[in-house]
Amino acid sequence: MKVSELAKALDLKVITDKGFADREIKSCYVGDLLSWVMGRAGQDSVWITIMSNVNIVAVAALVDMACILLAEGVAIDEEVIKKADSQGIIILSTDKNSYEAAIAVHKAAAI
Amino acid sequence: MLKHYEISGTDFSAAGEASSNFKLILKQLGLPADIVRKVAISMYEAEINTVIHGGGGTCDAEISDKSIVISFNDNGPGIKDIDLAMKEGYSTATDTVRELGFGAGMGLPNMKKYADDLQIKTTPGKGTTVVLTINL
Ligand SMILES: Nc1ncnc2c1ncn2[C@@H]1O[C@H](COP(=O)(O)OP(=O)(O)OP(=O)(O)O)[C@@H](O)[C@H]1O
Ligand SMILES: [Mg+2]
């Protein structure tokens, strides 16, 4: 499944540039501790987290994730969005909690 | 090929920029994805430690035919007990940086897992040098 298809299927808010370069989703990882995520998440994954500070951008870029999915509708600073856009990182948002979001991703993307 | 980076000890929002920049270079050089991943993860962890524990420092990365060698230098507090620091879950991170998602105590274990070689030279009160080697 593509990121755009996931966003549509789950009615996710696209926080970063709406005209993003679409990419394929291969897996999903849930976590908020950056080093933990860094060492365990796979590339092309959807990363579900409640962390919304600027450091999530570097983690997503370095692991080559498909997108970040912010859970619980957490607030995010404009500075983080700008940095994500400059590095081509897609950030989506949902009001669901991480557990519900993970189930929804699983159902929609069959991963 | 040599790259030099200055690592700020105060600007947490810039943390990871050296690693992100170096990853781009490796991708542009057409290095295999698994090599790029090993470098990206281990280098990021070392860079973050230089920021949050070392108070900033320098990074020098060298790409040769056989390997990629990346060294981080700081003049921070040093590590008193390296065996303890290497344990998964051990962290002296402050509450402030924990709120940013750091402090899982997984950085050094990640470096050990993803780099082919990890060398740490540290003197309490003087500073720390971390050298990562990834074989090509
Ligand atoms: N450059 C350094 N200078 C001083 N102390 C360090 C340095 N690097 C690591 N340490 C010490 O080793 C501990 C473990 O480091 P490690 O990277 O594994 O975990 P962390 O940085 O605390 O958390 P995480 O990396 O998961 O965000 C640190 O908490 C710190 O006490
Ligand atoms: Mg660390």
Side-chain angles (χ1 to χ4, degrees), chain A residues 33-36, chain B residues 44-46 48-56 72-82 84-94 97-98 101-111 120 122 127-130:
Chain A
L33 296 172
L34 301 181
S35 291
W36 201 277
Chain B
Y44 175 79
E45 295 293 3
I48 295 296
N49 281 357
T50 302
V51 177
I52 68 174
H53 305 298
F72 285 87
N73 271 288
D74 69 57
N75 301 311
I79 306 172
K80 277 201 199 84
D81 185 341
I82 293 186
L84 188 60
M86 288 303 303
K87 286 212 172 92
E88 289 192 6
Y90 177 81
S91 175
T92 59
T94 60
V97 299
R98 280 177 200 268
F102 301 117
M106 290 301 291
L108 286 167
N110 277 349
M111 287 180 231
I120 304 172
T122 182
T128 302
T129 299
V130 170

Side-chain angles (χ1 to χ4, degrees), chain A residues 34-35 39 41 53 55 61 83, chain B residues 13 23 37 45 100-101 110 114:
Chain A
L34 301 181
S35 291
N53 69 71
N55 298 291
K83 184 151 189 176
Chain B
S13 68
K23 184 195 172 183
R37 181 174 163 85
E45 295 293 3
L100 296 173
N110 277 349
Y114 286 96

